[in-house]
Amino acid sequence: MMHSLSSPYTTGTTSRALLLYSGNSSSSSSSSTQQPSRLNIKTNSFFCDLGTNFCLFNEKGRRDLLYGRRKMTTDNHLRHVESLPVFPSGAGNIPRLNAVILGEALASEENDYVFPSDDFSRNAHVSSPSQYLEMYKRSVEDPAGFWSEIASEFYWEKKWGDKVCSENLDVGKGAVNIEWFKGGITNICYNCLDRNVEIGNGDKVALYWEGNDLGSDDSLTYSQLLEKVCQLANYLKDVGVKKGDAVIIYLPMLMELPIAMLACARIGAIHSVVFAGFSSESLAQRIVDCKPKVVLTCNAVKRGAKVIGLKDIVDAGLAESTKNGVSVDVCLTYENQTALKRENTKWTQGRDIWWQDVVPKYPSTCDVEWVDAEDPLFLLYTSGSTGKPKGVLHTTGGYMVYTATTFKYAFDYKPSDIYWCTADCGWITGHSYVTYGPLLNGASCIVFEGAPTYPDASRCWDIVDKYKVSIFYTAPTLVRSLMREGTQHVTRYSRKSLRVLGSVGEPINPSAWRWFFNVVGDSRCPISDTWWQTETGGFMITPLPGAWAQKPGSATYPFFGVQPVIVDEKGNELEGECSGYLCVKHSWPSAFRTLFGDHERYETTYFKPFPGYYFTGDGCSRDKDGYYWLTGRVDDVINVSGHRIGTAEVESALVSHPQCAEAAVVGVEHEVKGQGIYAFVTLVEGVPYSEDLRKSLVMAVRTQIGAFATPDKIHWAPGLPKTRSGKIMRRILRKIASRQLDELGDISTLAEPAVVDQLIALADK
C-alpha cells in the first residue's frame, strides 16, 4: 500500500512538495521481512521510485527529505506526513499527523510526532520500525531462544538447563511462580567488574563522583572499583556475612554506595538499600523485616547547604529495632569528612566501626561466590496501601540479563557515552540504571551526591559540560522544577555532548517533555520516556530512540519480550484505541519473584485482581496509533459522576498553562459527584495568585479535557511535599485536601517538611 500527501511549504519562494511512503502496511501479525512493492509514481512534475522510505521532491525533482527527516529550510517546521508503523498492539494505520524533525523543529502540538535524525537512526542499535518488529516478534514467539542468545553474552560458571523459563501467573492454577535460567550459575558482580577488566576495560573510568560542593570530585576505573569492592567483600565475610544473609545499606550517593551493593553481590549476600532520607522509624521497620547481619552507613551528608546526620538516624533506628527483637552487631560507618568530622560523630563502642579504619586493610582480591540464577540478589522496600512496606525480591540471572539489555537499547548506549542518571540508589532506578545496567555494559557513569539545584539551577548543565555527558536520565519532577527556574540557567551552558535524554518515575506531561526536548536537548536529542516499576526490575514500555517517532508524553511501545494488555474491570482484553487497567501477560526475565516473607500478599496484590496477568496497578490508554500513555496509579484515578479521570491527565492540562509551574491533583469526596477534583498548583516564580488566574487554570482543564474534569478546588501551593528524590507525596496532599490533618503521618522524609504547614495555612484562602 502506498500513501501520498501533497503539502505546501514556505521556503522563501512558494513551492509544492509531495511526500510519499511505501512500506509494509499489513496487520501486526505480518512478518517484517516481507519485501514491500516498489512503486513508480508520477504526479505533475514529480516522479520517484520508492522502496521503504519517505521521499519528498520539490518541483525541480530534487529530493529534500528522506524518511521525513532530512533537514529542509523552512519557516514552518511542522511537516504534514503520513506513516504506517505496524506494531504489536497497534490500532491500525496512522492518519495524517504532525511530524517534527529532530534538530530542526519545535514540538508544539499534543499529537506531534518527533522523528530521530537520519544520522541518529543510521547508527542506532535499532534503527527502524521493521527491525524492532522483527526482534519483538521473535522475543514473544520464541522467548527462550531470544533471551538465551542475549544471556550467552555474559559469563556463566555453568549454563542453565533446557528449560529457560518456567512460569505460572494464574492463581487459579496454583502458586504464582516465575523462574528464568534456573540451574545457571553466575555472579552479577563478576559480570559488572571482572569481565570488563578481562576484556580490556580496566583503565576505563567506571564511576565519576561529583560531590555536593563545587570542585569536589573523584573517579574510579574498572580495575580500581574492583579492588575496592573486593576489600569490602572480604571485610563483610570476616564479620560473618555469608551467602543468603541480608545487609542493610543506608548511604547517600557516595561511590561507597554502589561499592557496597557490588560487594554484597560478590559474596552472595542480599543487599537492601534504604534511601538515606527515610526516618529512623522507616529504617527500623526494614531492619526488623529482613534481619540484617550488618548495617552500612556514613556519619553525615551535605544536601545543598544542609547537613543531615545519617548516623543519628541509624542509631535511633537500631535502638527501635532492638526494642522489637532484632539487634545488629555491626554498624560500619564511612567518615564523610566534608559533612562531619569523626570526632563530632556519636559512637557506640563495640558496634560502630569506621570504614576507613578497617576496609582498606583487606586484600584487594576476593573469590566470587557463584550463585544460581534464581538465588536472591536484593530486597527493595516499596510503599504499600496497608502502610507496611513491601519487600520486593529480585533474583540474579534474569535481572542481570534484562537490566543490561534494556540499558543498551533504550538509551542506544555506545562505549564512548558518558552516562548520568540523577536517581538515588535507594530507589529501583539507582539499582538498575545507576549500578547494574550501566556497569554490565562497561559504561562510564556519574554518581552525584548533591542537590540538582545547588548552588543554583544551572548545576545539572555544569555537570553535563564538565564530564561531557551524552546520556542524561532524570525525573519529570526535576524537569518541571528546572522549567520553573527559567531557560537562562540551561542556555548559558553548551550541552553539545548530549545525545539521548531520558525520563523516569511518573508520566511526563507533554509541555515538560517539549521543554526538555527543545531547551535541554536543543531539539536534537530523542527522549527515552520509560515506564517501569520497582517490581518489574527494568523498562517495560519505552521508546527505542532511533527506531520510531515519539509523541510527547507517551511511553510509546513495549520492550522486547513484554506483552502489555489493557483490560476492563472484568479482565477482558481491550483492542485498538482504549483505556483501562494495564496488565502484562507472560513473564519477563527481571520480574520480581515474591514479596519477602509474604508470598500470599504478592499473589493478592499483583495477580488476583486479574488472574493470569501481572496487574501493574496503573491505568493506561492506547491511542489510535498504538502508542501507550500511562495515566497514573489506579488509586490516582478520580471517578467524577461516573467519569474516570486520571490525575496525571488533569495535572498535564494545568501545567500546560504558561503561568503554572507544577501541579498535583487528588480526589476528594463530593456529595453529588462521588468524587471531586482538588488541585494543588505552584505558579511560575513572581506570578501572584488571583481569581482571574484561577479561572484561567480551570478553563485550561475544561478546554483540554472537558467540563467533567473541571477542578472543584484550586489550592495555591508555594511548594509541594516531596521526598528528597523528588517524588510528590500525594498521600499527604489527600489528607490536607480532606482536612484529615491529624492523619498526616511521618513527614520526616520530605525534602522540605515546612511546605506542609504552608499548605495547611493556605487551605482556606
Side-chain angles (χ1 to χ4, degrees):
M1 182 182 293
M2 190 284 299
H3 289 254
S4 64
L5 171 66
S6 181
S7 179
Y9 291 90
T10 303
T11 60
T13 59
T14 303
S15 65
R16 291 184 301 164
L18 180 66
L19 181 64
L20 302 166
Y21 174 72
S22 171
N24 181 1
S25 60
S26 56
S27 68
S28 60
S29 62
S30 299
S31 170
S32 60
T33 59
Q34 290 178 337
Q35 294 298 315
S37 58
R38 300 189 68 80
L39 304 167
N40 290 318
I41 299 144
K42 187 172 185 179
T43 306
N44 296 330
S45 59
F46 300 89
F47 183 86
C48 60
D49 181 11
L50 290 178
T52 58
N53 290 323
F54 288 110
C55 298
L56 180 66
F57 291 80
N58 61 19
E59 288 181 336
K60 296 180 180 179
R62 179 174 59 83
R63 177 178 291 189
D64 284 325
L65 188 65
L66 178 63
Y67 191 44
R69 296 181 295 201
R70 185 160 296 167
K71 185 171 177 63
M72 180 179 182
T73 304
T74 174
D75 296 328
N76 177 14
H77 291 295
L78 295 177
R79 311 265 197 261
H80 294 284
V81 302
E82 285 190 344
S83 172
L84 291 175
V86 184
F87 291 113
S89 298
N93 297 347
I94 294 179
R96 295 186 181 186
L97 49 90
N98 293 320
V100 180
I101 317 306
L102 277 108
E104 185 177 339
L106 298 182
S108 62
E109 296 183 17
E110 293 295 326
N111 63 344
D112 286 343
Y113 264 27
V114 183
F115 285 95
S117 70
D118 191 41
D119 284 342
F120 191 102
S121 285
R122 187 186 304 113
N123 296 299
H125 292 305
V126 181
S127 59
S128 66
S130 61
Q131 184 186 352
Y132 163 77
L133 281 169
E134 184 175 358
M135 294 176 71
Y136 181 85
K137 183 179 180 184
R138 187 181 175 214
S139 74
V140 297
E141 293 181 354
D142 178 23
F146 180 86
W147 290 112
S148 289
E149 283 186 13
I150 294 175
S152 296
E153 298 173 7
F154 300 94
Y155 179 81
W156 298 80
E157 184 75 359
K158 176 186 174 185
K159 193 173 180 181
W160 53 92
D162 294 335
K163 201 166 188 179
V164 176
C165 171
S166 174
E167 66 176 39
N168 173 46
L169 308 188
D170 191 340
V171 291
K173 297 179 180 179
V176 173
N177 182 64
I178 298 169
E179 293 177 336
W180 282 83
F181 309 112
K182 188 171 178 62
I185 306 299
T186 189
N187 183 284
I188 196 170
C189 176
Y190 183 91
N191 278 285
C192 284
L193 302 181
D194 305 64
R195 180 169 154 266
N196 271 299
V197 173
E198 289 165 5
I199 64 175
N201 284 338
D203 292 332
K204 181 177 182 178
V205 172
L207 300 178
Y208 289 102
W209 178 73
E210 176 75 8
N212 179 76
D213 298 326
L214 291 171
S216 177
D217 54 36
D218 202 352
S219 65
L220 289 173
T221 65
Y222 272 91
S223 292
Q224 292 168 334
L225 178 58
L226 175 58
E227 291 176 357
K228 288 187 175 292
V229 166
C230 287
Q231 287 179 321
L232 180 58
N234 283 321
Y235 169 79
L236 291 174
K237 288 198 298 182
D238 200 33
V239 296
V241 177
K242 303 182 299 297
K243 177 182 176 182
D245 288 338
V247 174
I248 287 276
I249 303 172
Y250 189 79
L251 282 165
M253 288 296 280
L254 305 173
M255 284 194 288
E256 282 65 28
L257 178 44
I259 286 171
M261 296 165 67
L262 290 160
C264 290
R266 190 170 192 84
I267 62 175
I270 305 167
H271 62 71
S272 178
V273 183
V274 179
F275 171 59
F278 274 116
S279 65
S280 59
E281 293 87 351
S282 297
L283 176 60
Q285 235 178 357
R286 288 153 174 79
I287 291 172
V288 169
D289 194 59
C290 73
K291 301 174 179 59
K293 283 285 186 73
V294 175
V295 170
L296 307 179
T297 189
C298 76
N299 56 347
V301 65
K302 286 184 72 176
R303 184 75 173 177
K306 184 178 180 181
V307 175
I308 302 167
L310 297 185
K311 180 65 165 48
D312 293 341
I313 297 171
V314 171
D315 288 345
L318 289 172
E320 182 68 22
S321 68
T322 300
K323 290 178 185 177
N324 287 283
V326 178
S327 296
V328 179
D329 296 330
V330 179
C331 178
L332 184 66
T333 305
Y334 186 84
E335 182 188 2
N336 191 11
Q337 296 179 356
T338 60
L340 185 68
K341 301 297 183 184
R342 66 168 63 190
E343 56 266 25
N344 298 321
T345 304
K346 294 179 182 178
W347 208 247
T348 300
Q349 291 297 330
R351 184 198 67 187
D352 298 345
I353 300 167
W354 287 113
W355 185 308
Q356 287 94 328
D357 287 352
V358 294
V359 174
K361 296 178 181 178
Y362 280 83
S364 58
T365 60
C366 176
D367 291 340
V368 170
E369 180 72 37
W370 299 108
V371 300
D372 189 275
E374 282 301 317
D375 281 340
L377 174 63
F378 66 85
L379 282 173
L380 187 56
Y381 288 87
T382 185
S383 59
S385 58
T386 64
K388 180 184 177 183
K390 299 174 292 188
V392 171
L393 178 69
H394 280 285
T395 53
T396 301
Y399 176 84
M400 175 179 75
V401 171
Y402 195 80
T403 52
T405 307
T406 48
F407 176 83
K408 173 182 175 180
Y409 286 107
F411 295 124
D412 191 49
Y413 169 75
K414 307 292 173 52
S416 59
D417 282 318
I418 304 296
Y419 169 77
W420 180 23
C421 171
T422 64
D424 192 290
C425 287
W427 311 110
I428 187 63
T429 304
H431 284 59
S432 299
Y433 301 112
V434 172
T435 305
Y436 291 117
L439 295 178
L440 287 165
N441 280 276
S444 296
C445 323
I446 293 172
V447 174
F448 178 44
E449 177 192 25
T453 55
Y454 177 81
D456 58 40
S458 65
R459 184 66 186 276
C460 285
W461 321 122
D462 177 68
I463 293 172
V464 165
D465 280 3
K466 177 178 178 178
Y467 295 99
K468 301 295 185 286
V469 173
S470 53
I471 303 173
F472 178 69
Y473 189 39
T474 193
T477 296
L478 178 59
V479 173
R480 290 191 293 266
S481 174
L482 295 173
M483 283 175 64
R484 186 183 184 190
E485 297 293 335
T487 60
Q488 70 276 12
H489 294 289
V490 184
T491 54
R492 72 187 196 203
Y493 289 88
S494 166
R495 296 161 287 108
K496 295 300 183 185
S497 60
L498 288 174
R499 194 174 68 83
V500 176
L501 303 175
S503 173
V504 61
E506 60 181 299
I508 184 170
N509 50 295
S511 59
W513 193 103
R514 291 191 196 92
W515 185 88
F516 198 26
F517 167 65
N518 292 328
V519 178
V520 175
D522 288 331
S523 304
R524 59 182 173 77
C525 301
I527 299 176
S528 288
D529 179 10
T530 61
W531 174 79
W532 59 300
Q533 302 173 313
T534 301
E535 294 86 347
T536 72
F539 304 148
M540 300 291 281
I541 304 176
T542 178
L544 299 185
W548 58 71
Q550 296 174 254
K551 290 186 180 183
S554 170
T556 70
Y557 293 100
F559 192 74
F560 305 127
V562 177
Q563 298 183 57
V565 294
I566 299 176
V567 302
D568 62 17
E569 292 182 354
K570 295 181 180 179
N572 299 311
E573 289 189 27
L574 304 175
E575 298 298 329
E577 187 175 1
C578 61
S579 294
Y581 301 93
L582 181 61
C583 294
V584 182
K585 59 181 177 182
H586 300 298
S587 66
W588 58 100
S590 69
F592 71 134
R593 304 307 199 244
T594 190
L595 294 177
F596 183 69
D598 200 346
H599 197 74
E600 182 180 355
R601 187 183 184 191
Y602 169 73
E603 293 182 339
T604 300
T605 303
Y606 300 100
F607 298 95
K608 283 187 178 177
F610 302 102
Y613 301 97
Y614 164 70
F615 174 45
T616 68
D618 282 336
C620 184
S621 295
R622 187 171 52 228
D623 66 22
K624 62 184 181 299
D625 307 327
Y627 280 61
Y628 287 84
W629 300 77
L630 276 297
T631 55
R633 300 294 296 171
V634 171
D635 55 10
D636 287 334
V637 173
I638 305 171
N639 197 324
V640 180
S641 301
H643 297 287
R644 294 178 61 82
I645 303 167
T647 56
E649 189 176 12
V650 181
E651 290 166 2
S652 181
L654 288 166
V655 175
S656 70
H657 192 287
Q659 293 178 307
C660 176
E662 193 164 32
V665 170
V666 297
V668 292
E669 290 187 10
H670 192 285
E671 60 180 307
V672 176
K673 297 184 287 187
Q675 280 189 299
I677 297 175
Y678 195 110
F680 293 84
V681 172
T682 301
L683 300 178
V684 171
E685 195 70 37
V687 175
Y689 308 142
S690 70
E691 178 60 15
D692 286 343
L693 180 53
R694 187 194 69 80
K695 292 178 180 178
S696 181
L697 288 163
V698 168
M699 186 54 63
V701 177
R702 291 173 64 97
T703 300
Q704 293 191 33
I705 304 176
F708 65 91
T710 300
D712 296 273
K713 173 78 172 179
I714 299 287
H715 187 137
W716 304 120
L720 296 172
K722 300 175 184 177
T723 65
R724 293 188 184 98
S725 67
K727 180 180 180 181
I728 297 172
M729 296 295 286
R730 287 176 173 80
R731 170 184 63 80
I732 294 174
L733 295 179
R734 290 191 192 95
K735 298 299 182 183
I736 295 173
S738 302
R739 303 300 189 268
Q740 297 172 314
L741 303 182
D742 58 340
E743 299 177 21
L744 291 175
D746 181 17
I747 63 172
S748 65
T749 62
L750 298 180
E752 296 292 340
V755 165
V756 175
D757 291 331
Q758 291 178 311
L759 292 176
I760 292 171
L762 287 168
D764 296 314
K765 294 184 179 180

